[in-house]
Amino acid sequence: KNEVEQSPQNLTAQEGEFITINCSYSVGISALHWLQQHPGGGIVSLFMLSSGKKKHGRLIATINIQEKHSSLHITASHPRDSAVYICAPSRKNQFYFGTGTSLTVIP
Amino acid sequence: DVKVTQSSRYLVKRTGEKVFLECVQDMDHENMFWYRQDPGLGLRLIYFSYDVKMKEKGDIPEGYSVSREKKERFSLILESASTNQTSMYLCASSFPTPAKVPFFGPGTRLTVL
């Protein structure tokens, strides 16, 4: 079963580029989370969305509930943004995790 | 500073060995989780516990068991390790608040030879 699809699976970008990661899901949800996992590190939460758009610094997350789609954008990407980004829709206490997008930003 | 710690970052075991992965959280969380993470498959829930001595099967419990004797500690046990259990294992904990992402530990990369 594949409740969550992320694209692309792998992404390499030059420093400064605008990056978009997409997430489509098939389940009804109460919220959607974007998570970041650095190599060798744990997972941290970047955003929790239930509608519209949120912005933290250079990161922007959007969600379209009707289309069951969310995007994570990184403006002016930097090598320290290199990580795996995971989309995780949730319903009550249950999380559905995407397979992740591995981002490498080259100086 | 909130913390979820796992007993080992890297572990190498032989097929058939009994393996214990330990997880400790210092946030007084009721919920604790064990996930495994594999390339192309993402995070998959093995077991979770919402209270001491309580446990619930996740999506892939076969070949695993768990123990929660104290609130802060949640152990994952591989009774007889197999090569297909080579993976990254992540522990997490949370309060029973809907839609809050758990706090994750750093992970244990287990290799079964």
Side-chain angles (χ1 to χ4, degrees):
Chain A
K1 53 180 180 179
N2 243 352
E3 293 97 351
V4 186
E5 300 276 356
Q6 271 187 250
S7 63
Q9 283 198 9
N10 297 284
L11 183 56
T12 301
Q14 289 291 136
E15 183 172 356
E17 279 188 31
F18 180 84
I19 287 161
T20 295
I21 300 169
N22 293 301
C23 173
S24 296
Y25 54 93
S26 57
V27 294
I29 64 168
S30 51
L32 183 140
H33 307 260
W34 281 100
L35 312 175
Q36 182 190 57
Q37 183 179 29
H38 278 283
I43 295 171
V44 296
S45 176
L46 297 173
F47 291 103
M48 183 176 85
L49 292 161
S50 52
S51 65
K53 178 177 169 177
K54 283 192 177 178
K55 184 175 189 290
H56 289 157
R58 295 179 295 105
L59 301 178
I60 304 164
T62 63
I63 188 168
N64 185 319
I65 297 289
Q66 286 74 30
E67 295 188 3
K68 295 188 174 177
H69 182 268
S70 177
S71 293
L72 177 68
H73 306 284
I74 305 175
T75 61
S77 59
H78 190 276
R80 65 174 174 266
D81 297 326
S82 297
V84 174
Y85 292 85
I86 301 168
C87 170
S90 68
R91 179 172 62 203
K92 294 183 181 177
N93 268 322
Q94 186 165 7
F95 289 87
Y96 305 88
F97 292 96
T99 55
T101 295
S102 179
L103 171 66
T104 303
V105 181
I106 300 168
Chain B
D1 195 20
V2 297
K3 208 175 275 189
V4 179
T5 56
Q6 295 182 229
S7 50
S8 307
R9 292 300 299 272
Y10 299 93
L11 206 52
V12 179
K13 295 291 182 181
R14 296 217 171 267
T15 301
E17 279 193 74
K18 191 168 185 174
V19 182
F20 292 88
L21 301 182
E22 305 283 344
C23 175
V24 178
Q25 50 95 2
D26 63 1
M27 294 166 279
D28 202 34
H29 285 163
E30 285 84 359
N31 295 345
M32 294 190 77
F33 308 84
W34 275 107
Y35 294 91
R36 64 178 282 178
Q37 185 180 30
D38 300 287
L41 296 175
L43 284 158
R44 293 180 293 167
L45 182 63
I46 305 171
Y47 267 97
F48 67 98
S49 167
Y50 52 85
D51 202 351
V52 175
K53 297 194 187 292
M54 306 298 285
K55 60 185 179 185
E56 294 282 342
K57 292 180 180 179
D59 298 319
I60 51 163
E62 297 77 20
Y64 304 94
S65 62
V66 290
S67 171
R68 189 149 181 220
E69 296 296 318
K70 293 185 178 182
K71 189 176 187 180
E72 67 270 19
R73 190 179 295 269
F74 192 34
S75 303
L76 180 69
I77 303 149
L78 287 65
E79 294 289 341
S80 178
S82 63
T83 55
N84 63 12
Q85 292 178 310
T86 292
S87 187
M88 170 70 88
Y89 289 88
L90 288 155
C91 175
S93 71
S94 71
F95 290 119
T97 309
K100 286 283 274 188
V101 173
F103 288 88
F104 283 87
T108 296
R109 187 163 292 283
L110 173 66
T111 302
V112 183
L113 301 175

